[in-house]
């Protein structure tokens, strides 16, 4: 199993550009989440999904969109990038039902918005 | 709404001494509690979790954590620190009634000196 994979590893954007951060998992996990990590602020939940076709907002959803058309994939879209979105983004997945407690994290995407 | 606090940005311990990394939480229902570790330029790795049962939970790499309901705390401990334990540690909480919405603390940097 590859686990949770994220692409790209690093990206530079100009203000106003759009892009999609890719996340995929091959563990048949129902639950997937996106976090951003900023110095001194830990990980903040952006959006999450409890299954294909179901998404919900986390702590800091503004400026980001998600969709979950398949169990495996959970892309994060930045519609119009802003410097405040410079961060490291982590995708995570976990089982559903009574086994969803342990999350598996991807290696992260480092995003710089100029 | 659930929340978690890690009151110490950094903890410094000499190798061989016991270590404690503090965490307090707030949830409306029963808490599910977690500790994760992050090494430089890596994603988060699961250490241990408390769902129910014994208040003392044992996890990976010799770490353990004690759940204290009256103090709403879940401190991470290790009897004898190693230099290789130096990393960033995150406490996280999920309300038992809120599937998948796991909230992380701001992180504590643990530094073990030889």
């Amino acid at each position: 199993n590859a686990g949770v994979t994220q692409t790209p590893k690093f990206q530079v954007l100009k203000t106003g550009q759009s892009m999609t951060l890719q996340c995929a998992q091959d563990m048949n996990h129902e639950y997937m989440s996106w976090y951003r990590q900023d110095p001194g602020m830990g990980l903040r939940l952006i959006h999450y999904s409890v299954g294909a076709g179901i998404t919900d907002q986390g702590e800091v959803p503004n400026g980001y969109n998600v969709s979950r058309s398949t169990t495996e994939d959970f892309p994060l879209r930045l519609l119009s990038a802003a410097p405040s979105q410079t961060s490291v983004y982590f995708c995570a997945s976990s089982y559903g039902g009574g086994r969803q407690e342990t999350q598996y994290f991807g290696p992260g995407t480092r995003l710089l918005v100029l | 709404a659930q929340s978690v606090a890690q009151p110490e940005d950094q903890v410094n311990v000499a190798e061989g001494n016991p270590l404690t990394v503090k965490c307090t939480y707030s949830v409306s229902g029963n808490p599910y509690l977690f500790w994760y570790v992050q090494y430089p330029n890596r994603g988060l790795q699961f250490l241990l979790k408390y769902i129910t049962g014994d208040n003392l939970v044992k996890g990976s790499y010799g770490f353990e954590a004690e759940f204290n309901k009256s103090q709403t705390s879940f401190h991470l401990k290790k009897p004898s620190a190693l230099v290789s334990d130096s990393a960033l540690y995150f406490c996280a909480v999920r309300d038992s009634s809120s599937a998948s919405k796991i909230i992380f603390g701001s992180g504590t940097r643990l530094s073990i000196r030889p």
Side-chain angles (χ1 to χ4, degrees):
Chain A
N1 286 353
V4 180
T5 58
Q6 292 183 238
T7 56
K9 291 185 178 180
F10 182 71
Q11 182 71 46
V12 180
L13 291 179
K14 295 181 179 178
T15 297
Q17 286 185 315
S18 63
M19 79 160 294
T20 298
L21 279 64
Q22 301 292 344
C23 174
Q25 53 91 7
D26 61 358
M27 297 173 282
N28 202 31
H29 286 170
E30 294 182 25
Y31 294 171
M32 297 186 74
S33 306
W34 275 103
Y35 295 87
R36 59 177 289 174
Q37 183 177 21
D38 302 292
M41 304 191 74
L43 272 75
R44 290 182 291 170
L45 181 64
I46 303 172
H47 286 285
Y48 65 101
S49 169
V50 299
I54 306 170
T55 64
D56 206 347
Q57 296 182 350
E59 303 171 88
V60 289
N62 292 342
Y64 307 95
N65 279 357
V66 292
S67 60
R68 185 93 180 272
S69 57
T70 67
T71 299
E72 295 77 20
D73 300 299
F74 191 43
L76 178 72
R77 282 184 289 277
L78 282 70
L79 303 177
S80 178
S84 61
Q85 294 179 305
T86 293
S87 187
V88 181
Y89 291 84
F90 288 100
C91 179
S93 72
S94 60
Y95 289 108
R99 300 182 293 161
Q100 75 271 36
E101 291 79 15
T102 302
Q103 291 200 102
Y104 296 80
F105 282 82
T109 293
R110 190 173 297 272
L111 178 66
L112 175 62
V113 183
L114 302 175
Chain B
Q2 66 229 56
S3 65
V4 60
Q6 294 181 244
E8 303 156 316
D9 291 336
Q10 179 146 350
V11 171
N12 299 309
V13 177
E15 187 175 28
N17 283 1
L19 68 88
T20 299
V21 183
K22 296 179 180 178
C23 172
T24 58
Y25 66 90
S26 174
V27 296
S28 55
N30 293 321
Y32 291 178
L33 295 155
F34 313 86
W35 276 101
Y36 285 82
V37 60
Q38 185 181 32
Y39 297 100
N41 300 314
R42 302 287 295 275
L44 275 70
Q45 298 176 31
F46 171 79
L47 273 181
L48 52 80
K49 65 184 177 186
Y50 171 83
I51 305 299
T52 187
D54 289 341
N55 290 341
L56 185 64
V57 179
K58 294 188 182 297
S60 306
Y61 312 120
F63 283 93
E64 57 189 28
E66 186 169 12
F67 170 63
N68 187 317
K69 188 174 183 178
S70 63
Q71 298 185 2
T72 61
S73 67
F74 190 56
H75 300 332
L76 182 70
K77 300 180 180 183
K78 187 172 183 180
S80 179
L82 299 172
V83 173
S84 58
D85 293 330
S86 299
L88 189 57
Y89 290 80
F90 290 96
C91 182
V93 65
R94 179 172 79 82
D95 192 314
S96 59
S97 62
S98 176
S100 184
K101 193 172 181 178
I102 298 177
I103 302 300
F104 283 78
S106 57
T108 298
R109 188 165 299 280
L110 179 63
S111 178
I112 309 300
R113 61 183 183 274

